[in-house]
């Protein structure tokens, strides 16, 4: 049976098989996927290439900038500052300096009271004044035998307490005379005992224009002490007139000279204290 030209059979009478359309479709799809991967891969490579170019440009730019930045990298070094002085810092003691000596402390102790001592050094002025009343200095005397410058019971009191020296000076004003006797001891306690045990009296000292006084008549007396010094006064009239309990002139003269003697002894302490402070300053 013939079916004519263009039948289902090809030329040559050989039979041709039917195309595998499913396989062809898969092959075409696979080729498409490869193209897409190649495209994507190419894009990645392109991106990497661009990045490399940018990095190269940046590096190149930095390399070019090195020449301009070298000046900053080669700036002169900071000058070396001088080292701190090796001289040690001054140090200060935490120990407070000793307090300056007190005048009374000095004149209370023979070991500290070392200034020259005599009637003339203790009473250097030719006049002694108190509140406008002026007294002229007369005779002076100094003796290591304390009892020799006393009368009555005072000598035994002085010797019994260790008197080292007795200094006397006389002052006068308008017919009234006063003799001051200063007994010197080793310490304050001895001087205080001599004052408390006082018995009349220091012997008046005439001379240098002052006649004998207070020897056979009543006179005013006093006793006191400062530091290691006990001091006594006897005051009366050069005319031999008796001093009564109501008498004011002899009493005032005795008080004036007692105050003057106190100040003179204290001045001795002040002078030595000032000298000691100056030597340690």
């Amino acid at each position: 049976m013939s079916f004519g030209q263009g039948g289902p059979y090809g030329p040559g009478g050989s039979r041709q098989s039917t195309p595998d359309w499913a396989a062809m479709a898969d092959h075409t799809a696979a080729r498409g996927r490869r193209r897409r991967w190649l495209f994507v891969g190419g894009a990645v490579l392109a991106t990497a290439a661009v990045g490399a170019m940018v990095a190269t440009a940046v590096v190149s730019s930095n390399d070019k900038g090195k020449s301009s930045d070298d000046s900053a990298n080669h700036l002169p070094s900071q000058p070396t500052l001088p080292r701190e002085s090796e001289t040690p810092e001054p140090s200060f003691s935490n120990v407070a300096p000793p307090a300056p000596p007190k005048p009374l402390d000095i004149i209370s102790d023979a070991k500290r009271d070392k200034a020259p001592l005599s009637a003339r050094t203790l009473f250097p002025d030719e006049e002694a004044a108190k509140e406008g009343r002026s007294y002229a200095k007369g005779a002076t005397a100094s003796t290591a035998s304390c009892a020799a410058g006393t009368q009555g019971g005072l000598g035994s009191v002085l010797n019994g307490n260790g008197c080292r020296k007795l200094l006397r000076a006389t002052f006068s004003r308008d017919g009234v005379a006063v003799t001051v006797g200063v007994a010197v001891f080793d310490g304050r306690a001895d001087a205080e005992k001599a004052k408390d045990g006082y018995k009349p009296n220091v012997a008046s000292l005439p001379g240098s224009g002052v006649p004998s006084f207070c020897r056979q008549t009543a006179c005013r007396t006093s006793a006191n002490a400062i530091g290691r010094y006990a001091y006594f006064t006897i005051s009366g009239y050069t005319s031999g007139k008796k001093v009564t309990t109501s008498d004011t002139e002899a009493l005032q003269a005795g008080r004036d000279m007692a105050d003057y003697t106190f100040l003179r002894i204290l001045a001795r302490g002040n002078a030595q204290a000032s000298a000691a402070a100056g030597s340690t300053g």
Side-chain angles (χ1 to χ4, degrees):
M1 171 175 181
S2 172
F3 292 102
Q5 190 176 357
Y9 300 101
S14 62
R15 183 181 177 180
Q16 298 183 353
S17 62
T18 302
D20 187 350
W21 299 111
M24 292 177 63
D26 291 337
H27 177 71
T28 301
R31 291 180 59 191
R33 285 196 297 271
R34 283 198 298 272
R35 283 197 296 271
R36 284 195 298 272
W37 278 111
L38 287 175
F39 177 77
V40 172
V44 171
L45 290 175
T47 302
V50 171
M53 292 174 63
V54 172
T56 302
V58 171
V59 171
S60 299
S61 174
N62 288 340
D63 290 340
K64 292 179 182 179
K66 281 185 180 179
S67 60
S68 62
D69 291 341
D70 280 347
S71 59
N73 295 331
H74 295 84
L75 289 175
S77 60
Q78 293 292 330
T80 302
L81 296 177
R83 292 190 304 173
E84 294 185 3
S85 173
E86 296 180 357
T87 304
E89 294 293 330
S91 60
F92 301 93
S93 173
N94 293 327
V95 180
K102 297 179 180 179
L104 185 58
D105 291 342
I106 291 178
I107 60 175
S108 295
D109 186 354
K111 294 180 180 179
R112 303 179 67 181
D113 188 13
K114 295 295 188 179
L117 180 59
S118 68
R120 290 193 176 274
T121 60
L122 190 59
F123 303 109
D125 304 322
E126 293 303 316
E127 288 188 347
K130 172 73 180 293
E131 297 178 357
R133 297 179 294 273
S134 181
Y135 299 83
K137 185 173 71 174
T140 61
S142 177
T143 178
S145 176
C146 298
T150 68
Q151 57 186 10
L154 182 58
S156 61
V157 173
L158 298 184
N159 289 339
N161 288 288
C163 179
R164 299 296 184 180
K165 186 183 294 187
L166 180 66
L167 313 174
R168 288 184 296 164
T170 295
F171 298 86
S172 63
R173 175 180 184 265
D174 298 336
V176 178
V178 181
T179 291
V180 178
V182 179
V184 184
F185 299 87
D186 288 339
R188 182 176 181 176
D190 295 332
E192 291 289 339
K193 289 178 182 178
K195 178 200 73 173
D196 294 340
Y198 169 73
K199 295 178 182 179
N201 24 271
V202 64
S204 61
L205 179 66
S208 300
V210 178
S212 179
F213 66 100
C214 294
R215 290 300 176 95
Q216 300 296 326
T217 186
C219 289
R220 301 289 300 206
T221 64
S222 70
N224 214 327
I226 176 175
R228 68 188 188 107
Y229 301 90
Y231 55 98
F232 313 93
T233 66
I234 184 168
S235 58
Y237 295 99
T238 58
S239 64
K241 176 184 172 182
K242 179 181 180 181
V243 176
T244 65
T245 55
S246 61
D247 186 277
T248 57
E249 291 184 60
L251 177 62
Q252 185 65 65
R255 286 176 175 173
D256 286 348
M257 288 303 96
D259 291 346
Y260 174 74
T261 301
F262 171 87
L263 294 176
R264 289 304 308 152
I265 297 172
L266 187 59
R268 174 180 173 83
N270 285 330
Q272 293 181 88
S274 297
S279 64
T280 58

